[in-house]
């Protein structure tokens, strides 16, 4: 639900700062999960954590484009995809192993610590042009266009393109099926 909005926000803000903020807030919200007294508190915390994490993906993709040379962009994108897909396989396996050795509370705490490590790692990235809107004349024009207008233009473009719309719907159904199998049924 927030993917298109997250893309517009990532285009508007400094990508590096956005990624840092997402990691820091996600780490804090993960720690708060430990102290949730009931499901009434836990579910909104998890929803807020997932919403914040949604902002990280478009910022990371845009950041890759601004930090990697044009001739190495395909390789960098492929490596990002490999890491993301590999984490979908290795993550549950490592998580299951950790859960068999540790308590759920320790697993949540380790998750928060690793997100904090990600934040610290991002602090080492120089903030020069990383994450800034490129200065090829598009920065001034984009700042004048309202966020809502950009969001509406993106949706109208998608709804006009039959191929893109069908691809998005197919992807949505596939993602929902995977979510049901991976998380909900379990």
């Amino acid at each position: 639900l927030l993917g298109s909005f997250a893309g517009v926000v990532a285009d508007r803000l400094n990508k590096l700062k956005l990624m840092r903020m997402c990691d820091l807030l996600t780490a804090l919200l993960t720690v708060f999960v430990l102290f949730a007294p009931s499901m009434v508190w836990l579910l909104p915390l998890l929803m807020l954590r997932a919403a914040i994490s949604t902002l990280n993906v478009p910022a990371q993709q845009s950041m890759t484009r601004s930090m990697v040379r044009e001739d190495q962009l395909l390789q960098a994108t492929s490596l990002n995809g490999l890491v993301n897909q590999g984490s979908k396989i290795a993550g549950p396996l490592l998580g299951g192993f950790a859960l068999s050795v540790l308590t759920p509370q320790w697993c949540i705490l380790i998750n928060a610590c690793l997100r904090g490590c990600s934040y610290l790692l991002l602090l080492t990235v120089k903030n020069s042009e990383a994450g800034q809107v490129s200065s090829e004349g598009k920065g001034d024009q984009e700042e004048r266009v309202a966020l809502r207008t950009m969001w509406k233009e993106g949706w109208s473009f998608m709804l006009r393109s039959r191929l893109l719309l069908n691809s998005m719907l197919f992807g949505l159904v596939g993602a929902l099926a995977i979510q049901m199998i991976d998380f909900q049924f379990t």
Side-chain angles (χ1 to χ4, degrees):
L1 293 175
L2 298 176
S4 61
F5 178 73
V8 172
V9 169
D11 284 343
R12 291 275 181 144
L13 300 177
N14 181 303
K15 282 96 174 128
L16 185 58
K17 287 181 182 177
L18 181 61
M19 289 174 64
R20 287 175 180 164
M21 189 60 64
C22 287
D23 279 349
L24 188 60
L25 290 174
T26 302
L28 288 173
L29 288 172
T30 303
V31 170
F32 290 161
V33 164
L34 287 173
F35 302 107
S38 68
M39 220 33 118
V40 174
W41 286 92
L42 181 63
L43 290 177
L45 268 175
L46 291 174
M47 285 174 39
L48 182 60
R49 185 175 171 263
I52 289 171
S53 295
T54 303
L55 293 169
N56 202 14
V57 175
Q60 178 188 16
Q61 291 171 343
S62 182
M63 189 80 165
T64 300
R65 186 162 186 78
S66 68
M67 293 187 74
V68 176
R69 289 190 336 241
E70 192 69 34
D71 61 321
Q72 294 179 334
L73 194 56
L74 181 61
Q75 293 170 335
T77 304
S78 298
L79 287 173
N80 272 345
L82 181 67
V83 168
N84 287 334
Q85 295 304 321
S87 67
K88 290 179 184 177
I89 296 169
L93 291 174
L94 291 172
F97 174 74
L99 193 55
S100 69
V101 176
L102 303 169
T103 65
Q105 291 81 6
W106 274 105
C107 291
I108 291 170
L109 191 59
I110 289 171
N111 186 327
C113 289
L114 290 175
R115 188 57 77 156
C117 289
S118 175
Y119 169 76
L120 294 174
L121 185 64
L122 285 173
L123 287 177
T124 66
V125 177
K126 292 183 181 177
N127 198 15
S128 58
E129 288 195 28
Q132 299 292 342
V133 176
S134 66
S135 60
E136 299 167 359
K138 99 178 192 184
D140 294 335
Q141 184 183 8
E142 279 189 10
E143 287 178 356
R144 286 188 223 136
V145 178
L147 181 70
R148 184 175 182 202
T149 304
M150 287 179 69
W151 185 75
K152 283 172 54 178
E153 285 176 4
W155 274 103
S156 65
F157 176 77
M158 189 189 77
L159 293 173
R160 282 191 311 256
S161 172
R162 188 174 186 91
L163 178 65
L164 185 57
L165 181 62
N166 288 336
S167 297
M168 291 292 288
L169 289 174
F170 180 74
L172 175 65
V173 170
L176 288 175
I178 290 170
Q179 286 286 326
M180 291 299 290
I181 293 167
D182 283 351
F183 301 108
Q184 303 304 318
F185 290 159
T186 307

